[in-house]
Amino acid sequence: MGTQVKDVIIKPDAPSTLLLDKHADYIAAYGSKKDDYEYTLSEYLRMSGIYWGLTVMDLMGQLPRMNRQEIIDFIKACQHECGGISASIGHDPHLLYTLSAVQILCLYDSVDALDVDKVVEYIKGLQQEDGSFAGDKWGEIDTRFSFCAVATLALLGKMDTINVDKAVEFVLSCMNFDGGFGCRPGSESHAGQIYCCSGFLSLTGQLHQVNADLLGWWLCERQLPSGGLNGRPEKLPDVCYSWWVLASLKIIGRIHWIDKAKLRSFILACQDEETGGFADRPGDMVDPFHTLFGVAGLSLLGDEQIKPVNPVLCMPEDVLQRINLQPDLLS
Amino acid sequence: QDTTFLSQEIPPVFLCFRDRKEWADLEPVPQDDGPNPVVKIAYSEKFSDVYDYFRALLKNDERSERAFALTSEAIELNAANYTVWHYRRVLLQALSKDLREEMRYITAIIEEQPKNYQVWHHRRMVVEWLNDPSEELEFIADILSQDAKNYHAWQHRQWVIQEYKLWDDELDFVENLLEEDVRNNSAWNQRHFVISHTSGFSDAMEREIQYCLYQIKKAPNNESAWNYLKGILQPLGLSAQPGLLERVLELKQTHCSPYLLAFLFDCYEDALENSKENVAEEEQQKTLKKALEICQLLAQEDTIRKEYWLFLGRSLKNKHGSSDPSDEPLADDPEPSVPVSEQQEMS
């Protein structure tokens, strides 16, 4: 049954042991180098960048190396009058960065740095008549934003402020013939969107609406001969799908359908032994985004050197235990 | 002597905004890295110049032609900066800018950077303001000709078609794409989208089954085609379709694949689940045996998904197996290939 499969080949000299210290050094130093053009260019997502960095540091037990007070002050400066939070100072508020900010403040047990009622008001204002959520006042609709809305509200303990039934109705309308989910009704199934929708249905107590066997099959079909996971059929593997796909499988209780050993070797091969950090696939340039999802993926696979990570919120389990938030998982 | 080549060699120089006299009234706002910046980062000169002036304009909420022109510079340097796009839209409306010209602009930007949420959302807004989708299908087709799976392009296409009811030629468009690449999952998804919103699947079922089987013969190891086939049949039940099983068994002789075997399993499973009362127990057990053989085969051939195939076999046996004690258990691989920590995962 051999055909040309779109995949990567892992070289024999690819990294095969976990280099946690190198990754911690990489993240700790990120953004502190002069002339870092990539850092400048990514200002429009800075809040998410900080969330990725802090979360992976916490998972590695290295959170104290980051500058807590500076970050909390930064977040305060990013909350706008409407209650929404922007990616950085001088940028416009958006649901994506509102979630990232609240996640960061939960890590630091400092949610009171925000006007919480205003955040809730902002989120509520973004829900549309059909139950969907816009990302901001410009009206882009996407199931990613449904996830951002309920995740933020769940972390703040304020889920009852939106129309949950309508929100669920919209997300379910995005379920496709293959059991997967896309960004809007009719959109192609995509692992990133599936993660958002599975996470959403977990947080709203609606996981029984998922066809777990059908979706589980679609998700485990993402695994390629190299051991890596792609995001949709006929695409190359990418370490961030080790998160989107794996967390989804964990949420729907089918994580054992993946070949864990092969996935682990793929993720490890994505490390850069010189600089630290993870890239999307072996040999490429590293970045904090792929570093978080590589480490989080390894945590889900059971690596004992890394703290347990929550598959719904991509945050350390001990943080969620502290705030008493344990979203449902199927078994 | 011919000196024209000399003048062509001198490249146009970017004159910083801080050096342009018509901008002298504005105080540039430097990058603010937060109340306690760790290190003052040195950006490229042009980038910091443009964005210092962008911040100044934003701070004053200036609604002017020069502000509009500067957003173009800012976008060229960083087209993912959503705040710049927001500001540009505010200016488009405040200055009553020519939206047709904006369409030409956004077309050029998307051609350069087609994998960016902001550029597509901006285009959608302009199309909405103009209430004119007439360029869209051709434009998106052009983008798809460069990357037939661009997720943003497909979303935009679905929106345009649904909003402006442009269904007529879409099935043909999908078929052309599938002729070029039968494995294009986005095109298969679009096929489902079009049919569900137009004729529906009841009348079209036989035609769609034939279409799938035809494409499968051309490329047997095609996940998308098999997912589609299963997807359209599932609501009615795989065993409800007369003659389907026979056609798939025939295909098995010449065009076998893990997907075909998985589909056969699904047919057998459906038959067991929905068996009519007059189906003999012996018949049921024969069907079960065939299904279990498939699981065994796939567990050996598609080893990376071995756990899934073994699960399928076990579940089916538990549900439909006879209580005959002489039944052999489904043979599991005695040497697990996963680390011990998996035991904790499964409980």
Side-chain angles (χ1 to χ4, degrees):
Chain A
M1 312 196 187
T3 351
Q4 280 269 309
V5 174
K6 213 163 167 179
D7 197 2
V8 298
I9 295 179
I10 299 178
K11 296 190 190 150
D13 62 348
S16 57
T17 54
L18 182 54
L19 309 162
L20 280 182
D21 290 339
K22 289 227 97 155
H23 304 318
D25 290 344
Y26 165 69
I27 297 290
Y30 187 79
S32 64
K33 298 191 295 276
K34 292 185 195 235
D35 284 325
D36 202 304
Y37 197 53
E38 178 207 317
Y39 184 78
T40 315
L41 272 187
S42 58
E43 188 190 285
Y44 72 92
L45 54 66
R46 181 66 61 238
M47 195 62 73
S48 295
I50 293 173
Y51 154 72
W52 301 327
L54 293 183
T55 304
V56 73
M57 289 300 264
D58 197 2
L59 288 175
M60 297 189 289
Q62 300 285 316
L63 191 58
R65 286 170 74 173
M66 308 303 277
N67 193 326
R68 180 175 183 274
Q69 198 51 52
E70 178 191 332
I71 289 165
I72 293 175
D73 291 340
F74 173 74
I75 292 175
K76 279 190 195 164
C78 288
Q79 183 167 30
H80 290 242
E81 264 187 58
C82 62
I85 299 160
S86 52
S88 185
I89 295 166
H91 290 245
D92 288 344
H94 197 286
L95 250 187
L96 292 169
Y97 310 113
T98 304
L99 171 61
S100 294
V102 170
Q103 286 173 305
I104 293 164
L105 292 174
C106 285
L107 285 182
Y108 281 142
D109 198 7
S110 297
V111 169
D112 52 6
L114 288 175
D115 181 343
V116 170
D117 289 337
K118 269 298 199 176
V119 173
V120 171
E121 197 184 306
Y122 175 71
I123 296 173
K124 204 173 148 160
L126 290 171
Q127 186 166 28
Q128 310 297 301
E129 267 183 50
D130 64 359
S132 67
F133 282 85
D136 63 20
K137 67 184 184 195
W138 292 96
E140 186 192 353
I141 305 294
D142 191 321
T143 48
R144 286 182 297 145
F145 307 143
S146 301
F147 174 76
C148 290
V150 301
T152 311
L153 292 173
L155 289 169
L156 298 174
K158 303 274 187 187
M159 188 88 90
D160 52 359
T161 53
I162 52 155
N163 188 335
V164 175
D165 289 341
K166 264 297 195 184
V168 169
E169 197 185 300
F170 176 76
V171 168
L172 291 178
S173 76
C174 299
M175 193 186 300
N176 293 319
F177 61 87
D178 50 19
F181 295 83
C183 66
R184 292 188 283 277
S187 301
E188 187 187 359
S189 296
H190 181 289
Q193 310 291 150
I194 288 169
Y195 164 77
C196 290
C197 293
S198 308
F200 172 95
L201 292 169
S202 160
L203 290 165
T204 53
Q206 298 290 317
L207 277 174
H208 55 277
Q209 310 257 25
V210 172
N211 186 335
D213 286 345
L214 182 62
L215 179 56
W217 154 242
W218 191 95
L219 288 168
C220 76
E221 268 294 308
R222 296 308 107 236
Q223 191 162 32
L224 296 163
S226 65
L229 306 176
N230 62 20
R232 338 170 233 167
E234 293 296 309
K235 289 244 144 191
L236 287 171
D238 182 326
V239 105
C240 68
Y241 292 114
S242 307
W243 178 259
W244 311 126
V245 174
L246 207 62
S248 302
L249 280 167
K250 180 76 180 172
I251 293 168
I252 64 171
R254 271 112 176 107
I255 198 171
H256 49 288
W257 288 356
I258 282 285
D259 183 324
K260 293 187 175 183
K262 293 207 86 175
L263 178 57
R264 182 181 165 84
S265 26
F266 175 85
I267 298 175
L268 293 176
C270 293
Q271 299 173 106
D272 187 316
E273 280 167 328
E274 282 174 37
T275 60
F278 289 72
D280 59 353
R281 50 191 76 96
D284 281 354
M285 288 232 3
V286 303
D287 60 49
F289 173 84
H290 291 96
T291 302
L292 168 61
F293 295 122
V295 170
L298 290 171
S299 172
L300 278 185
L301 290 174
D303 191 302
E304 283 165 0
Q305 294 171 80
I306 307 166
K307 279 199 204 171
V309 69
N310 181 273
V312 173
L313 287 154
C314 195
M315 293 168 68
E317 285 285 12
D318 57 12
V319 173
L320 297 183
Q321 270 155 30
R322 190 205 330 123
I323 61 175
N324 222 350
L325 180 57
Q326 298 290 270
D328 298 338
L329 303 178
L330 292 179
S331 55
Chain B
Q1 272 187 340
D2 182 9
T3 56
T4 52
F5 83 95
L6 279 174
S7 54
Q8 278 159 19
E9 264 178 5
I10 301 167
V13 174
F14 176 77
L15 187 64
C16 282
F17 284 91
R18 63 171 181 265
D19 296 328
R20 301 186 199 191
K21 59 181 189 323
E22 63 273 18
W23 287 81
D25 63 297
L26 206 52
E27 187 67 44
V29 176
Q31 166 66 10
D32 182 352
D33 286 310
N36 304 300
V38 176
V39 172
K40 182 82 181 74
I41 303 161
Y43 314 124
S44 91
E45 214 181 289
K46 177 173 176 175
F47 192 97
S48 49
D49 179 63
V50 168
Y51 273 90
D52 287 353
Y53 278 87
F54 174 70
R55 282 182 278 270
L57 292 167
L58 209 56
K59 192 174 171 191
N60 297 343
D61 194 19
E62 182 175 312
R63 313 268 175 108
S64 66
E65 280 300 331
R66 69 176 183 179
F68 186 75
L70 191 134
T71 62
S72 306
E73 299 280 357
I75 285 164
E76 193 187 326
L77 292 167
N78 191 356
N81 190 321
Y82 64 99
T83 299
V84 178
W85 285 106
H86 293 183
Y87 191 54
R88 189 179 175 92
R89 281 194 286 275
V90 164
L91 292 169
L92 278 170
Q93 294 188 306
L95 304 172
S96 302
K97 297 293 288 180
D98 181 348
L99 293 178
R100 301 253 165 232
E101 204 179 311
E102 188 66 2
M103 277 297 283
R104 287 191 285 277
Y105 173 75
I106 194 63
T107 296
I109 301 285
I110 295 176
E111 291 279 354
E112 285 166 33
Q113 304 191 52
K115 290 196 178 173
N116 165 327
Y117 285 103
Q118 284 70 38
V119 300
W120 286 99
H121 186 67
H122 188 78
R123 187 184 180 97
R124 174 171 162 161
M125 298 239 55
V126 178
V127 168
E128 279 180 346
W129 288 343
L130 282 170
N131 199 30
D132 177 9
S134 59
E135 292 175 25
E136 296 318 280
L137 294 184
E138 195 183 318
F139 170 71
I140 301 162
D142 182 54
I143 296 293
L144 290 175
S145 70
Q146 296 160 49
D147 174 2
K149 299 174 192 176
N150 183 323
Y151 199 72
H152 306 284
W154 282 108
Q155 296 339 302
H156 188 75
R157 196 172 181 89
Q158 286 193 344
W159 168 71
V160 167
I161 287 173
Q162 223 167 353
E163 185 72 14
Y164 297 99
K165 306 192 187 344
L166 302 173
W167 301 99
D168 289 350
D169 300 323
E170 193 63 2
L171 196 56
D172 282 342
F173 178 73
V174 165
E175 286 199 10
N176 287 335
L177 282 181
L178 288 174
E179 277 302 302
E180 284 170 31
D181 178 9
V182 71
R183 296 175 204 282
N184 185 338
N185 195 65
S186 309
W188 282 101
N189 183 72
Q190 189 75 345
R191 192 178 182 91
H192 194 276
F193 176 73
V194 173
I195 295 174
S196 356
H197 285 91
T198 53
S199 62
F201 281 96
S202 15
D203 290 340
M205 191 60 83
E206 181 53 39
R207 181 197 74 200
E208 289 304 296
I209 294 173
Q210 277 198 40
Y211 184 79
C212 286
L213 297 178
Y214 168 73
Q215 298 296 1
I216 285 163
K217 282 193 186 120
K218 288 197 322 192
N221 277 283
N222 185 351
E223 184 189 344
S224 304
W226 285 106
N227 280 353
Y228 181 86
L229 182 61
K230 179 174 168 180
I232 61 176
L233 290 166
Q234 198 95 63
L236 295 168
L238 300 182
S239 52
Q241 201 62 28
L244 178 67
L245 182 64
E246 287 69 32
R247 284 154 94 173
V248 177
L249 284 169
E250 199 189 311
L251 205 54
K252 182 169 178 269
Q253 304 305 313
T254 48
H255 296 85
C256 198
S257 71
Y259 306 110
L260 185 145
L261 294 174
F263 188 84
L264 261 184
F265 176 91
D266 290 330
C267 290
Y268 293 138
E269 183 187 31
D270 196 67
L272 289 167
E273 300 276 299
N274 301 303
S275 60
K276 310 216 173 8
E277 278 179 18
N278 60 349
V279 175
E281 174 67 17
E282 203 189 315
E283 187 65 38
Q284 291 279 82
Q285 290 306 308
K286 268 194 194 156
T287 303
L288 175 63
K289 186 159 181 277
K290 281 187 263 195
L292 294 179
E293 274 166 8
I294 286 177
C295 290
Q296 286 280 49
L297 181 59
L298 285 167
Q300 284 156 27
E301 294 284 341
D302 187 25
T303 51
I304 213 166
R305 271 165 285 277
K306 188 181 59 173
E307 287 305 320
Y308 173 71
W309 302 119
L310 295 177
F311 160 82
L312 274 197
R314 277 196 305 270
S315 312
L316 202 66
K317 201 163 155 52
N318 288 341
K319 227 172 168 188
H320 300 283
S322 71
S323 45
D324 187 340
S326 70
D327 256 354
E328 285 171 32
L330 197 68
D332 281 12
D333 186 338
E335 286 162 340
S337 60
V338 292
V340 171
S341 58
E342 147 136 47
Q343 301 305 314
Q344 292 153 3
E345 288 298 326
M346 286 180 74
S347 58

